Amino acid sequence: MRKVKGYRRPDGRFGIRNHVLILPCSLCASETARFAAQNVEGAVYVANQGGCSLSRRDLKVTLETLSGLAANPNVYGTILVGNGCEVVQASLLAEEIRRKTCKPLEVLVIREEGGSLHTVNHIVRSAEAMRKEADRLTLEEAPVSELILGTECGGSDPTSGLAANPVVGCCSDLVVREGGTVILSETPEMIGAERILAARCENEGVRRKLLDTIKNFEMDFLRVGENPRSGNPTPGNIAGGITTLEEKSLGCIHKAGRSMIREVVGYGELFTQKGLVVMDTPGQDVASIVGMAAAGAHAVVFTTGHGTPTGSGILPVIKLTANEETAVKMKDNMDFDCSAVLTSGKDLEEAGRELFDLVCRVACGEKTRAEELGFQDVSMARYCNFA
Amino acid sequence: MKINGILIHESDHVVTLTLPVKAGESVTYIRKGRLTQVEAIEDIPQYHKVAVQDIGKGRKIRKYGDEIGEAVSHISAGGWVHVHNLQSSCMADTRQEREETI
């Protein structure tokens, strides 16, 4: 049995990182929070571009996501920063966070503090104190069954569906076999593979929710006069060898491996089941990763053909490619090169075991490239932009 | 014998080429740990699919261990499998049709 190393939180969950999070409630508090975060060693920050002028549906999603980020087990504690007049009131968000976790939480409001500079000073003092407390924790071991691993693909090319995603699929099967959790995300990539995914759902309730999730996604597009199926696969996909939509989607969903689907949740929502689970996320990589982080994912494996620098302040993003050229060209950004699957007939299962080993090492503290670079990409899903 | 094709799942009817092949050249791939070959009967570009067995018209074609559509004409082993002979089974175009299929 493989072990991971991390920290047991007071709410019972286990984290593989020990972050102090500075979390702005809205875009209006974001710069103040960023300024403070830059002055505290070992603090992470979420560049929140939302949090105000929200439709009711988006308010619900935003609260779910932001509270989920604070509750993520990789986070030791959170300093919440509001401006004072935003829709996502600091008190409202604090209440949501406390519903999910009993971890350390401090709440500051810029207007009550008397402007940005006073607030920054207060955040820095509080964050440094929280950092000291966090550093006093000792590393513990936990089984892989506690691990929640997100999967993602972006900047895809023919090598993604052909090798990188199947390699992740083998790794996902190993995580599930050890009793852990794997999240399949990106609803647009499931269109065309509904029947295949539906056949893999554990029961009728899960099957119905999966099909409804995909259908609702498609309906949102149809409502604004777009059809996500038309022009898919794209001319570029077809030139690259992809013939049908099923084939394209299968290449993507292969990341999840071949386990039964145990649960389907909305964007950023917490899972109640272990094993293979599905989250409704947009195709945009960063928003998808943030949704999974809000659900408590410890790490994300991210396949890319062309290469992408994406990272997250909350969780390690492990990036892999099966494109030989990208592995060299984007060396700074790549954690795992599985191009040998295509160039020298390396066994998929073997590459999957190596990736699983890397996931376990990262879950024991080994830093990913994006962590070394300090990248903290943030984007949140939003349904209505002109509220 | 250079490996120039990849069989993703043992039940697949097609192998994806990692390098382009000309008609008459061999496609070499691994099946169950063994090097296996099929002769290409036409030129096939890189990352495109070659049939590793005869596929009858109307038959569901498998890749990734799942169905990716159906053969619209007979495809011989070594033949190029693409938009000219493989058709999606999920391209319902109207909202009604889609609701019916879901």
Side-chain angles (χ1 to χ4, degrees):
Chain A
M1 275 286 248
R2 289 293 297 254
K3 297 272 185 197
V4 299
K5 280 184 195 157
Y7 310 88
R8 183 68 61 190
R9 303 300 175 201
D11 58 15
R13 290 156 86 187
F14 189 84
I16 61 164
R17 294 293 184 268
N18 203 24
H19 297 307
V20 167
L21 171 64
I22 299 175
L23 180 65
C25 294
S26 68
L27 69 173
C28 300
S30 271
E31 280 297 279
T32 304
R34 177 182 63 82
F35 192 62
Q38 281 171 344
N39 287 290
V40 182
E41 207 178 318
V44 294
Y45 149 75
V46 166
N48 183 355
Q49 297 288 304
C52 204
S53 302
L54 297 168
S55 66
R56 227 174 300 175
R57 188 179 176 190
D58 280 318
L59 173 61
K60 186 175 171 291
V61 171
T62 303
L63 284 172
E64 190 78 71
T65 309
L66 293 175
S67 61
L69 294 178
N72 184 293
N74 288 349
V75 172
Y76 168 83
T78 301
I79 294 162
L80 194 59
V81 188
N83 180 40
C85 56
E86 60 266 83
V87 171
V88 176
Q89 287 282 296
S91 55
L92 182 66
L93 180 52
E95 204 177 296
E96 283 297 311
I97 294 171
R98 289 199 177 101
R99 250 177 2 96
K100 289 183 179 174
T101 182
C102 54
K103 291 187 298 189
L105 175 68
E106 196 162 330
V107 186
L108 304 179
V109 177
I110 296 170
R111 290 195 184 172
E112 289 168 14
E113 295 291 319
S116 285
L117 293 181
H118 284 116
T119 312
V120 167
N121 285 335
H122 194 161
I123 297 171
V124 170
R125 277 200 313 278
S126 298
E128 280 174 348
M130 210 178 261
R131 185 68 264 162
K132 270 187 199 144
E133 289 166 22
D135 289 341
R136 276 200 283 272
L137 293 186
T138 46
L139 269 175
E140 289 174 42
E141 280 195 338
V144 172
S145 58
E146 299 229 22
L147 196 67
I148 303 176
L149 182 68
T151 63
E152 185 64 35
C153 53
S156 301
D157 75 0
T159 66
S160 303
L162 194 53
N165 291 345
V167 166
V168 169
C170 296
C171 172
S172 296
D173 285 342
L174 292 173
V175 172
V176 171
R177 210 170 299 154
E178 295 255 356
T181 303
V182 170
I183 309 173
L184 175 66
S185 66
E186 297 183 285
T187 313
E189 315 289 11
M190 300 175 204
I191 296 172
E194 298 94 334
R195 262 167 285 188
I196 290 152
L197 285 170
R200 288 172 50 190
C201 288
E202 194 177 61
N203 58 47
E204 181 54 29
V206 176
R207 199 183 82 88
R208 197 61 260 163
K209 185 139 187 217
L210 179 90
L211 292 175
D212 284 347
T213 298
I214 301 171
K215 190 166 101 177
N216 289 340
F217 188 96
E218 220 174 335
M219 288 304 162
D220 276 346
F221 268 78
L222 293 169
R223 224 170 274 135
V224 292
E226 301 280 347
N227 181 351
R229 283 179 203 244
S230 65
N232 218 342
T234 64
N237 292 150
I238 291 171
I242 292 172
T243 311
T244 65
L245 186 58
E246 298 96 302
E247 184 182 6
K248 181 177 175 174
S249 293
L250 270 170
C252 296
I253 65 167
H254 222 76
K255 297 191 294 295
R258 306 191 69 83
S259 312
M260 291 300 274
I261 297 169
R262 310 223 35 227
E263 191 176 14
V264 178
V265 301
Y267 184 80
E269 289 174 14
L270 298 173
F271 297 98
T272 62
Q273 303 293 316
K274 288 187 165 197
L276 177 61
V277 294
V278 171
M279 179 180 284
D280 181 20
T281 75
Q284 201 247 75
D285 314 328
V286 179
S288 185
I289 290 171
V290 167
M292 291 189 278
H298 294 98
V300 166
V301 279
F302 186 130
T303 68
T304 176
H306 298 294
T308 157
T310 307
S312 159
I314 308 289
L315 47 74
V317 177
I318 301 165
K319 288 195 299 293
L320 65 141
T321 186
N323 182 320
E324 205 180 4
E325 202 184 313
T326 300
V328 176
K329 232 196 223 168
M330 298 283 284
K331 202 163 170 261
D332 295 351
N333 305 101
M334 293 298 131
D335 298 286
F336 188 79
D337 171 9
C338 57
S339 59
V341 169
L342 298 177
T343 56
S344 55
K346 183 173 184 155
D347 184 42
L348 281 173
E349 301 278 344
E350 190 191 337
R353 281 192 296 274
E354 286 172 10
L355 178 61
F356 175 67
D357 188 62
L358 174 62
V359 168
C360 292
R361 291 200 318 268
V362 168
C364 286
E366 187 174 310
K367 283 195 172 178
T368 61
R369 298 283 188 177
E371 282 181 296
E372 275 167 0
L373 292 165
F375 287 178
Q376 303 182 18
D377 294 293
V378 177
S379 171
M380 266 189 291
R382 191 167 172 157
Y383 293 99
C384 177
N385 267 327
F386 287 90
Chain B
M1 260 197 313
K2 186 167 166 45
I3 293 168
N4 57 357
I6 179 166
L7 179 80
I8 296 180
H9 191 266
E10 275 168 23
S11 71
D12 291 354
H13 300 139
V14 294
V15 152
T16 308
L17 297 178
T18 54
L19 295 166
V21 296
K22 296 265 179 226
E25 287 179 356
S26 288
V27 175
T28 308
Y29 60 98
I30 296 172
R31 181 192 284 275
K32 293 184 181 171
R34 278 220 184 85
L35 284 179
T36 312
Q37 285 193 316
V38 63
E39 188 181 304
I41 57 174
E42 55 197 313
D43 295 358
I44 308 175
Q46 184 186 29
Y47 298 131
H48 284 236
K49 296 174 288 296
V50 59
V52 291
Q53 62 183 81
D54 287 346
I55 303 169
K57 183 180 173 183
R59 216 169 141 203
K60 297 283 187 193
I61 297 181
R62 296 179 76 88
K63 181 186 170 185
Y64 292 111
D66 276 303
E67 291 165 3
I68 58 166
E70 68 180 55
V72 292
S73 58
H74 176 86
I75 306 169
S76 302
W80 182 18
V81 179
H82 202 28
V83 286
H84 57 286
N85 54 16
L86 164 60
Q87 198 175 55
S88 169
S89 310
C90 74
M91 291 305 283
D93 268 335
T94 67
R95 192 187 284 207
Q96 284 82 359
E97 263 184 85
R98 207 163 304 136
E99 279 184 332
E100 280 158 22
T101 57
I102 287 175

